[in-house]
Amino acid sequence: MKLEGIHHITAITADAPGNVEFYAGLLGLRLVKKTVNQDDPTVYHLFYADEHGSPGSDLTFFEYPHAAPGRAGAGMVHRVIWRVGSSQALDFWEQRLNGRALALERTPSGLLFQDPEGLAHELVLDTSQEPRLLADSPEVPSEFALAGFDGARAYTSDRAASENLLAQTLNFEDGQDGRWRVAGLTRSSCYAFDPPPEAPPIQGAGTVHHIAFASPMDDHEGWQRRIADAGAHPTPVIDRFYFRSIYFREPSGVLFEIASIGPGFAADEDSEHLGERLSLPPRFEPLRARLQEALTPLPNPRLPAGEHAS
C-alpha cells in the first residue's frame, strides 16, 4: 500500500472572518466546506482547497474564538509548503503579499511568509509534473495560483525515533537528512524534520493541529490494521462523512491522520456552490438552528461587494 501524499493539513484560528479573508480572499483558495468540528460542533471547521476540494490541496482550520496565540515546537508541523508554477509566480506573490502577510522573505528556492496569526508557509517551484490543483479567483491569474501542497516541515528533537514507523509501516521513501517522500500512483508530497526551537510548544491560534495523508478507500482499513500491528495505537476508522479518518501519533509526537480519498465535499452540496452554506453531516443536522446562532458570521469572498454576509 502507498499513501497518495498529503490529504489535508488542519490548523487553529482565533478569527474565522479574518481567516476567510486571508486564505480565500488574499491567497485565492476556494472555501469548499463550511462545517463544524465533529469532535466539538460548537466551533467551525473550514476547508480551503482547489476548485473541487481535491485531496492534496485542503488546508483546514478549527476556529476557537479568542484562542491565545500558539507556538510551534517539538512534535508539531511548523510550515506548510505549496507549489507554484514559475519564478514569475513567486514574483507575483511577493508583490501581492507585501504588507499583507508577516515575515515575508524571498529565498533562493522560494518565498516564505506567515499568515496574520503566525502560521508559516513556503512557496516553491513545482517540479513534480503532477496535476496542478488550482482554485479560480478573480484576483489571482491561474498561471500564478497556488497549485496544491508540496509538503510540510515538522519539529522533532529525535527524528531517528520516527524512522522505522515512517519507512517500514507507512512506506515513506528516502529519509535523507530528515526529508521523506510520500508517493502513491498519482500524487506525492514531502515530509521533513527540523530541530525544534528551545521554547516549548504551545497549541493555539496560528499552529498546526494535525497532518493527514491520503489513502485510496480500498486501502483504508488495511492501513488501520497495519498501524495497529506496528504498535502506534491508531483510533478505529472514524466516519467524517466527507472522508474517513484514522488518527495516531508518530514517535516524534506529531498527530498523523490517514484520510480516505472520498466520498468528497459534493456529498451534500452541489459542486458549483461548495462552501456557501453551513454544511452539517446528518447526525449534526438537528443542531442546525442552535449552531447557526452560535457560530461567527462569515464573509463569502465569491459574492460581490455588499453581499458578503453569510
Side-chain angles (χ1 to χ4, degrees):
M1 296 186 297
K2 290 283 191 179
L3 296 168
E4 296 287 333
I6 294 173
H7 185 286
H8 66 268
I9 298 172
T10 295
I12 295 172
T13 181
D15 175 17
N19 190 263
V20 172
E21 293 289 4
F22 186 83
Y23 286 97
L26 184 60
L27 294 191
L29 299 172
R30 185 178 186 186
L31 177 60
V32 293
K33 190 62 59 176
K34 181 169 58 177
T35 185
V36 293
N37 180 342
Q38 295 184 32
D39 297 320
D40 181 1
T42 64
V43 301
Y44 275 125
H45 195 179
L46 305 176
F47 291 76
Y48 306 96
D50 71 345
E51 203 62 20
H52 308 288
S54 305
S57 66
D58 284 331
L59 181 63
T60 93
F61 286 85
F62 300 140
E63 187 210 25
Y64 290 97
H66 313 299
R71 180 173 61 215
M76 298 172 71
V77 170
H78 70 90
R79 186 186 301 172
V80 180
I81 308 171
W82 301 87
R83 295 170 179 170
V84 295
S86 66
S87 58
Q88 290 76 22
L90 294 175
D91 295 338
F92 170 85
W93 285 110
E94 184 177 19
Q95 181 176 1
R96 181 167 174 81
L97 293 170
N98 188 29
R100 304 171 73 183
L102 305 178
L104 183 66
E105 179 187 356
R106 187 71 175 260
T107 71
S109 59
L111 185 68
L112 300 172
F113 65 95
Q114 297 176 6
D115 80 2
E117 295 178 293
L119 180 61
H121 295 268
E122 182 176 7
L123 308 184
V124 298
L125 296 181
D126 182 11
T127 60
S128 68
Q129 299 185 332
E130 295 167 5
R132 301 179 69 215
L133 305 180
L134 307 177
D136 294 335
S137 168
E139 297 185 8
V140 180
S142 61
E143 64 268 27
F144 300 149
L146 304 187
F149 295 130
D150 190 73
R153 303 192 73 92
Y155 286 134
T156 180
S157 55
D158 184 10
R159 73 188 192 199
S162 300
E163 289 180 353
N164 187 63
L165 182 74
L166 298 187
Q168 302 302 319
T169 302
L170 300 179
N171 292 329
F172 286 19
E173 300 172 2
D174 300 330
Q176 299 289 332
D177 299 320
R179 180 182 172 91
W180 299 84
R181 185 169 182 264
V182 189
L185 294 176
T186 61
R187 196 153 188 89
S188 67
S189 303
C190 72
Y191 181 72
F193 284 129
D194 294 310
E198 292 185 6
I202 300 173
Q203 188 82 82
T207 64
V208 171
H209 184 272
H210 66 269
I211 182 169
F213 297 93
S215 164
M217 189 72 79
D218 290 345
D219 292 345
H220 202 238
E221 291 190 358
W223 279 114
Q224 199 278 342
R225 293 190 296 270
R226 185 180 180 95
I227 295 162
D229 289 344
H233 308 292
T235 66
V237 175
I238 300 172
D239 187 352
R240 298 300 195 190
F241 190 67
Y242 308 110
F243 46 85
R244 295 176 176 86
S245 300
I246 303 157
Y247 301 91
F248 60 99
R249 289 196 183 272
E250 58 95 355
S252 289
V254 179
L255 182 58
F256 272 19
E257 177 184 351
I258 307 295
S260 66
I261 300 172
F265 294 123
D268 61 353
E269 288 185 298
D270 183 274
S271 60
E272 295 297 315
H273 299 284
L274 294 178
E276 294 181 8
R277 62 187 292 273
L278 179 64
S279 294
L280 297 175
R283 66 191 177 99
F284 294 104
E285 192 59 44
L287 302 176
R288 176 175 290 277
R290 178 150 48 103
L291 293 174
Q292 288 188 149
E293 287 184 2
L295 294 168
T296 310
L298 295 181
N300 182 342
R302 295 209 165 192
L303 290 178
E307 300 181 31
H308 269 23
S310 66

